[in-house]
């Protein structure tokens, strides 16, 4: 699927995450780590990640921070998130559709990779 095939705006995906309007059982990162959403976070209407103060369990770790949502992983780079320190606190990059592994390897400004 390419971007033009997705009929909705990213704000719909943000609403779906906020309201947990999807099956939250057996969620996993692309690396196979289990994901439990304890609290989806608070929606951010300004600049920066889409949700702040989220609480998740990824694998065995309980993590707190921000969540960024995109239609496709490559939007991280297109939106220049790798250049803004506001994205260093992203604990999960949620995408509607992820194609090849090259597009998945996004970096935070500090050089680390958020789970996808």
């Amino acid at each position: 699927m390419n971007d033009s095939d997705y009929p909705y705006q990213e704000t719909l995906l943000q609403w779906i995450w906020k309201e947990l309007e999807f099956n939250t059982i057996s969620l996993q990162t692309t690396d196979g780590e289990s994901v439990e959403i304890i609290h989806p976070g608070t929606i951010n209407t300004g600049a920066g990640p889409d949700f702040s103060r989220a609480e998740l369990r990824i694998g065995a770790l309980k993590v707190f921070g921000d969540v960024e949502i995109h239609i496709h992983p490559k939007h991280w780079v297109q939106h220049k998130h790798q250049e803004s320190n506001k994205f260093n606190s992203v604990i999960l990059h949620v995408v509607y559709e992820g194609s090849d592994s090259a597009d998945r390897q996004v970096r935070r400004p500090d050089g680390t990779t958020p789970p996808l």
Side-chain angles (χ1 to χ4, degrees):
M1 173 182 271
N2 62 42
D3 296 345
S4 61
D5 292 334
Y6 185 72
Y8 306 104
Q9 293 187 10
E10 199 173 276
T11 52
L12 175 62
L13 297 177
Q14 294 165 351
W15 178 85
I16 290 169
W17 176 265
K18 177 180 163 241
E19 299 298 326
L20 299 177
E21 288 291 330
F22 55 96
N23 184 351
T24 60
I25 305 300
S26 301
L27 297 175
Q28 290 188 345
T29 67
T30 55
D31 292 335
E33 294 279 346
S34 63
V35 177
E36 176 189 353
I37 303 167
I38 300 164
H39 176 52
T42 304
I43 191 131
N44 175 18
T45 57
D50 295 317
F51 289 85
S52 60
R53 298 185 306 276
E55 183 178 347
L56 311 174
R57 185 175 308 281
I58 300 177
L61 291 176
K62 192 172 190 181
V63 292
F64 303 86
D66 300 336
V67 173
E68 180 64 10
I69 298 178
H70 289 122
I71 294 166
H72 192 278
K74 67 182 177 183
H75 293 158
W76 180 281
V77 173
Q78 289 176 354
H79 298 171
K80 301 187 185 303
H81 297 331
Q82 73 280 6
E83 298 175 12
S84 172
N85 286 333
K86 293 178 182 180
F87 291 87
N88 280 331
S89 59
V90 170
I91 58 173
L92 186 65
H93 183 205
V94 177
V95 297
Y96 170 76
E97 183 248 330
S99 63
D100 65 55
S101 60
D103 286 333
R104 296 182 194 166
Q105 297 303 313
V106 300
R107 299 266 181 224
R108 296 179 192 107
D110 64 9
T112 60
T113 301
L116 178 66

